[in-house]
């Protein structure tokens, strides 16, 4: 039987990378097992995609369509700087490509995959077809109790975000996407609750990341078995709560000094976190590594004893699911999304209550996981549970949800 045709808008989609770009790539590969795909992505991704495809023994049912803005319209974009404006223009200019490709190939299903931010634009033509939206989010907010500790720019960003989320009932673009969507995949319950009640029957909770079990390797031999090594990875944005982690770690150090923390990543909050480390006199136990290659990332993850995701809202879930693949215990804050796959049997899941209470509970978790037997117990269970959340399982679930919505 012929596969159903799907047009996928995947601005962020490239092999061999982490974060949303890697997630977009995994989704496309898994969906191609069940659907005939046309995938629209950035032209800057073309070289890596074609190189990866040419190196494979198997054939994937994917036809890529590439587009980037003309040079005069993209000279100002540097990395993630200006990405929202660039993405908005990109979605506007690619609308004709979406329409032409879908009409010429009799494609009825349009899937807006990445970016997974519900406040951002979608193809005008695509939304009028059978429209699958997500996994999407971007409506999670940080309480002022936390953001008042941020620098001025980050405080302003969080204030504006809270205002935007409160005004969602009046946001025409958001409500239009909710109305037109036939299936809304929500990253967290915050997104699910943000969907107007009259459209909520089309929404389901659906995490965007899964476990890539091939990442598992033999446990590294540690140079000093007395030291418990913790690692946290992610862009240094204020909402990822590296400040909470540093405070908690400094507090835990007073009880057990045989602990070390490595912070991998870069971002606008780097100077503040570095200053906090100095203030807490933890420079000999907390190390800021900066950005590293994917190969180095996995090496350092394997060498760590405990993986931490301190994000206060849905974010850095690749790191969390990698903890399952690597049989490592995870400390995380309940974000109402991916954390539903973790519990007291395979991780330490903390509630985002009062700020000081979270510092205390995170500190207690750090101390508790200096116990090797507890780490091994949680790690084994985490890896066992991870076998149920692999990309293969995710691909099947994606197919089933799309077919259920499409065929009614």
């Amino acid at each position: 039987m012929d596969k159903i045709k799907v047009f996928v808008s995947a601005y962020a989609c490239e092999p061999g990378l982490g974060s949303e770009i890697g997630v977009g790539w995994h989704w496309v590969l898994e969906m191609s097992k069940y659907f005939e795909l046309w995938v629209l992505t950035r032209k800057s991704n073309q070289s890596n995609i074609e190189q990866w495809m040419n190196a494979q023994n198997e054939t994937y049912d994917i036809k890529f369509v590439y587009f980037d803005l003309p040079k005069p319209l993209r000279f100002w974009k540097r990395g993630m700087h200006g990405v929202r404006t660039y993405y908005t223009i990109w979605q506007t200019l690619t609308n004709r490509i979406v329409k032409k490709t879908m009409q010429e190939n009799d494609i009825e299903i349009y899937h807006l995959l990445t970016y997974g931010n519900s406040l951002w634009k979608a193809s005008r033509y695509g939304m009028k077809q059978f429209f699958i939206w997500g996994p999407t989010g971007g409506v999670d907010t940080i309480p002022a109790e936390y953001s008042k500790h941020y620098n001025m720019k980050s405080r302003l960003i969080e204030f504006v975000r809270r205002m935007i989320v409160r005004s969602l009932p009046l946001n025409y673009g958001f409500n239009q996407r909710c109305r037109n969507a036939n299936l809304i995949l929500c990253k967290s319950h915050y997104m699910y609750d943000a969907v107007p009640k009259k459209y909520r029957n089309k929404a389901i909770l659906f995490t965007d990341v899964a476990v890539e079990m091939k990442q598992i390797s033999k446990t590294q031999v540690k140079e000093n078995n007395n030291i418990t090594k913790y690692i946290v990875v992610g862009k240094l944005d204020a909402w990822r709560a590296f400040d909470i982690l540093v405070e908690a770690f400094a507090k835990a150090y007073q009880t057990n000094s045989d602990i070390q923390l490595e912070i991998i990543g870069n971002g606008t909050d780097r100077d503040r976190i570095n200053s906090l480390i100095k203030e807490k006199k933890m420079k000999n136990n907390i190390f800021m590594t900066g950005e590293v290659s994917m190969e180095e990332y996995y090496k350092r993850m394997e060498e760590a004893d405990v993986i931490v995701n301190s994000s206060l809202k849905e974010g850095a879930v690749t790191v969390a699911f990698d903890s399952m693949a690597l049989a490592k215990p995870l400390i995380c804050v309940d974000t109402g999304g991916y954390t539903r796959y973790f519990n007291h049997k395979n991780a330490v899941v903390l509630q985002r209550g009062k700020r000081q209470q979270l510092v205390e509970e995170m500190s207690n978790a750090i101390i508790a996981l200096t116990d090797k037997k507890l780490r091994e117990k949680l790690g084994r269970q985490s890896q066992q549970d991870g076998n149920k959340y692999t990309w293969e399982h995710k691909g099947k679930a994606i197919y089933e949800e799309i077919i259920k919505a499409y065929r009614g």
Side-chain angles (χ1 to χ4, degrees), residues 278-310:
K278 292 177 181 177
E279 177 189 323
K280 298 294 182 180
K281 296 180 172 57
M282 294 298 294
K283 287 188 69 177
N284 293 327
N285 292 78
I286 301 179
F287 309 100
M288 298 187 73
T289 305
E291 294 182 355
V292 299
S293 66
M294 289 302 293
E295 182 181 357
E296 187 66 21
Y297 159 78
Y298 287 121
K299 178 177 181 293
R300 290 173 184 270
M301 289 278 283
E302 289 167 355
E303 291 173 347
D305 295 297
V306 181
I307 295 170
V308 185
N309 182 8
S310 55

Side-chain angles (χ1 to χ4, degrees), residues 234-259:
K235 187 179 178 185
L236 300 188
D237 292 317
W239 57 266
R240 294 189 191 273
F242 291 101
D243 58 337
I244 300 286
L245 177 55
V246 169
E247 290 183 33
F249 205 82
K251 186 174 181 61
Y253 180 81
Q254 296 173 9
T255 300
N256 188 335
S257 60
D258 290 331
I259 56 176

Side-chain angles (χ1 to χ4, degrees), residues 59-179:
T59 302
Y60 291 87
D61 203 354
I62 309 172
K63 301 167 187 66
F64 286 96
V65 182
Y66 301 101
F67 178 82
D68 265 336
L69 272 58
K71 283 187 179 181
L73 295 179
R74 58 184 163 97
F75 70 92
W76 44 268
K77 185 183 180 299
R78 295 291 182 271
M80 294 300 291
H81 177 72
V83 66
R84 177 169 185 167
T85 301
Y86 187 96
Y87 177 82
T88 299
I89 299 171
W90 187 87
Q91 280 288 2
T92 301
L93 295 184
T94 55
N95 186 66
R96 58 183 176 78
I97 298 175
V98 176
K99 181 177 181 179
K100 183 174 184 292
T101 305
M102 293 188 71
Q103 289 182 344
E104 288 182 351
N105 295 282
D106 297 321
I107 306 170
E108 295 181 351
I109 301 176
Y110 169 80
H111 182 186
L112 177 58
L113 177 58
T114 63
Y115 274 118
N117 190 318
S118 63
L119 303 176
W120 292 17
K121 188 177 176 65
S123 163
R124 187 174 67 255
Y125 178 82
M127 283 195 300
K128 295 177 182 178
Q129 312 314 304
F130 189 92
F131 176 29
I132 299 164
W133 186 21
T136 191
V139 299
D140 311 43
T141 60
I142 305 300
E145 179 184 355
Y146 288 88
S147 62
K148 69 181 181 181
H149 295 270
Y150 300 168
N151 59 37
M152 180 60 74
K153 181 179 179 181
S154 296
R155 287 203 303 271
L156 180 60
I157 289 172
E158 292 305 330
F159 173 78
V160 171
R161 180 175 293 276
R162 287 194 291 268
M163 294 302 102
I164 290 173
V165 171
R166 287 174 188 169
S167 65
L168 279 179
L170 304 176
N171 187 312
Y172 176 78
F174 176 81
N175 284 282
Q176 182 187 43
R177 289 186 285 277
C178 290
R179 181 175 64 252

